[in-house]
Amino acid sequence: MSAAFSPLPEASTADLVAQRLRDAILDGSLRPGDRLVEHDLAARFQVSRGPVREAIRLLVPDGLVVLRRNRGAIVASPTFDDVLEVYAVRMSLGSLALAQAVYVDAAAHPEFGGVLILLQRLSDPEVQADALLMMEADLLFQDALLATSGLPRITSMLDQSARDVAFFVRMLGITYDSSDHTDLIRRHERVINAVRECDPEAATEAWQAHIRHTVGEFARRYPDADIKGVFSHPLTEQLFDGPIGED
Amino acid sequence: MSAAFSPLPEASTADLVAQRLRDAILDGSLRPGDRLVEHDLAARFQVSRGPVREAIRLLVPDGLVVLRRNRGAIVASPTFDDVLEVYAVRMSLGSLALAQAVYVDAAAHPEFGGVLILLQRLSDPEVQADALLMMEADLLFQDALLATSGLPRITSMLDQSARDVAFFVRMLGITYDSSDHTDLIRRHERVINAVRECDPEAATEAWQAHIRHTVGEFARRYPDADIKGVFSHPLTEQLFDGPIGED
DNA sequence: CTACGAAGGATTGTCAACAATCAACCATGT
DNA sequence: ACATGGTTGATTGTTGACAATCCTTCGTAG
């Protein structure tokens, strides 16, 4: 039973349009606040307004666009508060997933090999050269690891939060350029090893440390001066109850 | 500035249809596995297929219906595993929200009065008489309290999980008939008091105890015999690391 | 009897035209 | 100058019809 016999994606027109729009938003072709006019998009994609309309609505739960009654859709404008909140969710639900992963013996999970492959990808110099590629590979690995928990709902929420992170990072112009890639990998290995050794406390601990580190990196690199105001946000204290940016 | 000047709901046709479908699913008119045929629904609601189609898609992220490509939508069929997972999310994110609520001084929150009113509603004999009404009032109170955290994303996720709970409870035929309503209120008061006294540890502790209790109630009342298999689920141990059904 | 293949009906996917709504603009009066 | 009221162009909301797809049933061959 090879993985070549996958479930056949075969997306609908609306899905295809939604994916195009996603790409356009994420690569900067569409900027926050830009209007999404159904008629214009339909003309561009050479389809009718129906699928375009449906595609736009598909992006709403993803947090990519905001819908205003009778006034069309615009590309969402995330703030740094959103970043903090998403990372808080990620820390919280991720801990849950990892604790569960340990219980179900994730190391014996059929897809655990794939997780290790994704981790190796982070060592690829070609990947490391591109900051965006690196971020995607990183999030992909994290999601794969968390998915070994076998909790479909929580996994999908974590996947969504990863997409949120990717979106925010691009939109806010945050450089996800870790100063030391081997450090990132070391933190990931710490999590994986804890899962392998069936030590839930160590796994969640390592995971939370990783999130704190990542948020700390963001905090240091965030170019906007408003960051001072944002960082008086109480949630920040929860994410930073260790020294900022340290492990 | 009265609350009478609210933001004007004035929902679109699709929203109205979606709400009707939601009600129909939740009150049992539509049962899990039932097909949602666009043409038929359009005829019933006296609208065209467009809004109906849109309404159906609105219910997908809510987890109420499942969409199969080119084969229409059916009402979702949740399992007890889903219940456990949703409660795990609720415990985890709820703790986060409460900790944050304490930091932002929820007791001074402008809407904290509304929370107390919702709590009082649980003492209303008329509400207590109807198990479904009681559950709705209970979840409404919980969400209002958690919303004082001022975290919009996490709050909306918790709202969604509350709707999930309501859906699952009805679908699985779980009786949400607490043997002792004063006990429920006492647990809630414990959470509220901890928030009032700005004690994050006590607040999250009380919250988690409440969730554990609720899951324990479910476990005892769940009529299906498959519960034994489900409760070997590792996640259960996390939700039950106290004595089952006790505080 | 089973496997394969071809109608047929039912249902979703897509489309282009019509109706309703909105923001902007201009005019008018105070 | 400011506020009010009407007009207009642009855009979304809605509709019914057409095309594509799927499931069922029936028929046929092995």
Side-chain angles (χ1 to χ4, degrees):
Chain A
M1 182 78 74
S2 159
F5 293 86
S6 41
L8 277 210
E10 189 120 7
S12 71
T13 307
D15 290 331
L16 295 174
V17 172
Q19 194 51 51
R20 290 285 194 94
L21 289 177
R22 239 185 289 267
D23 294 343
I25 293 175
L26 291 180
D27 72 14
S29 308
L30 289 172
R31 298 153 142 247
D34 280 359
R35 298 180 55 189
L36 298 176
V37 180
E38 296 178 1
H39 178 270
D40 296 352
L41 296 174
R44 273 184 214 282
F45 294 131
Q46 299 276 24
V47 295
S48 87
R49 273 180 53 211
V52 172
R53 187 182 171 84
E54 193 170 327
I56 289 176
R57 273 141 181 80
L58 282 174
L59 300 182
V60 172
D62 289 357
L64 291 179
V65 310
V66 181
L67 218 53
R68 291 130 12 146
R69 184 181 132 71
N70 281 330
R71 292 206 262 136
I74 59 173
V75 178
S77 304
T79 68
F80 200 85
D81 275 12
D82 289 317
V83 178
L84 285 180
E85 215 177 329
V86 170
Y87 267 108
V89 169
R90 225 168 147 62
M91 180 185 276
S92 185
L93 293 186
S95 300
L96 197 58
L98 285 174
Q100 182 74 1
V102 167
Y103 276 113
V104 300
D105 193 6
H109 195 282
E111 294 184 26
F112 198 74
V115 176
L116 295 178
I117 291 175
L118 285 172
L119 178 59
Q120 284 175 359
R121 222 176 109 71
L122 292 176
S123 306
D124 185 343
E126 196 172 331
V127 175
Q128 292 188 347
D130 185 345
L132 286 183
L133 215 63
M134 189 68 185
M135 177 181 72
E136 275 172 13
D138 184 16
L139 292 174
L140 223 57
F141 156 76
Q142 293 184 23
D143 283 347
L145 173 60
L146 295 168
T148 60
S149 64
L151 301 171
R153 291 176 161 264
I154 292 176
T155 297
S156 100
M157 288 169 105
L158 283 166
D159 285 358
Q160 180 55 47
S161 76
R163 282 194 290 271
D164 287 340
V165 167
F167 175 52
F168 295 159
V169 166
R170 286 179 170 90
M171 290 306 103
L172 296 171
I174 298 170
T175 60
Y176 190 83
D177 185 24
S178 178
S179 53
D180 189 0
H181 290 130
T182 52
D183 184 49
L184 171 71
I185 295 170
R186 195 176 309 123
R187 290 198 305 278
H188 283 338
E189 282 173 343
R190 214 167 289 164
V191 178
I192 276 208
N193 288 335
V195 171
R196 267 212 181 102
E197 295 161 10
C198 295
D199 185 342
E201 274 82 19
T204 56
E205 195 67 37
W207 172 254
Q208 289 170 13
H210 167 65
I211 297 285
R212 271 201 294 274
H213 178 96
T214 308
V215 175
E217 287 280 315
F218 277 4
R220 272 197 299 222
R221 292 166 186 277
Y222 194 61
D224 196 324
D226 285 351
I227 192 172
K228 289 285 183 287
V230 171
F231 267 68
S232 65
H233 201 292
L235 184 58
T236 321
E237 298 179 22
Q238 286 187 248
L239 293 175
F240 285 119
D241 57 21
I244 289 186
E246 288 301 319
D247 203 9
Chain B
M1 181 78 76
S2 160
F5 293 85
S6 42
L8 276 210
E10 191 123 2
S12 71
T13 307
D15 290 331
L16 295 174
V17 172
Q19 194 51 50
R20 291 286 194 94
L21 289 177
R22 241 186 289 266
D23 294 343
I25 293 175
L26 292 180
D27 73 12
S29 308
L30 289 172
R31 299 154 140 248
D34 280 0
R35 297 179 56 188
L36 297 175
V37 180
E38 296 178 0
H39 179 271
D40 296 353
L41 295 175
R44 272 185 214 282
F45 294 130
Q46 299 276 24
V47 295
S48 84
R49 274 181 52 212
V52 171
R53 186 180 171 84
E54 191 170 328
I56 289 176
R57 277 150 225 284
L58 282 174
L59 300 182
V60 172
D62 288 359
L64 291 180
V65 309
V66 182
L67 218 54
R68 293 129 10 145
R69 177 176 163 72
N70 282 331
R71 293 206 263 135
I74 59 174
V75 178
S77 304
T79 68
F80 201 85
D81 274 13
D82 289 317
V83 177
L84 285 180
E85 214 177 329
V86 169
Y87 268 108
V89 169
R90 223 167 149 64
M91 180 185 276
S92 184
L93 293 186
S95 300
L96 197 58
L98 284 174
Q100 182 74 1
V102 167
Y103 276 113
V104 301
D105 194 6
H109 197 281
E111 294 183 26
F112 198 73
V115 176
L116 295 178
I117 291 175
L118 285 172
L119 178 59
Q120 284 175 359
R121 222 174 107 72
L122 293 176
S123 306
D124 186 343
E126 197 172 330
V127 174
Q128 292 188 346
D130 184 346
L132 287 184
L133 214 63
M134 189 69 186
M135 176 182 71
E136 276 172 12
D138 184 15
L139 292 174
L140 221 58
F141 157 76
Q142 293 184 23
D143 283 348
L145 173 60
L146 295 168
T148 61
S149 65
L151 301 171
R153 291 176 162 265
I154 292 176
T155 296
S156 100
M157 289 170 104
L158 284 166
D159 285 359
Q160 180 56 47
S161 75
R163 282 193 290 271
D164 286 342
V165 167
F167 176 52
F168 295 159
V169 166
R170 286 178 169 90
M171 291 305 103
L172 295 172
I174 298 170
T175 60
Y176 191 82
D177 184 24
S178 178
S179 52
D180 189 359
H181 290 130
T182 53
D183 183 47
L184 171 70
I185 295 171
R186 195 176 307 125
R187 290 198 304 278
H188 284 337
E189 281 174 344
R190 215 168 288 165
V191 178
I192 277 207
N193 288 335
V195 171
R196 267 214 181 101
E197 294 161 12
C198 294
D199 184 343
E201 274 81 21
T204 56
E205 194 68 36
W207 172 255
Q208 289 169 14
H210 167 64
I211 297 284
R212 271 199 294 275
H213 178 96
T214 307
V215 175
E217 287 280 315
F218 277 4
R220 272 196 299 220
R221 293 167 185 277
Y222 195 61
D224 195 327
D226 285 352
I227 192 172
K228 289 283 182 288
V230 172
F231 267 68
S232 66
H233 201 292
L235 184 59
T236 321
E237 299 180 22
Q238 286 186 249
L239 293 176
F240 285 119
D241 56 21
I244 290 186
E246 288 300 317
D247 202 11

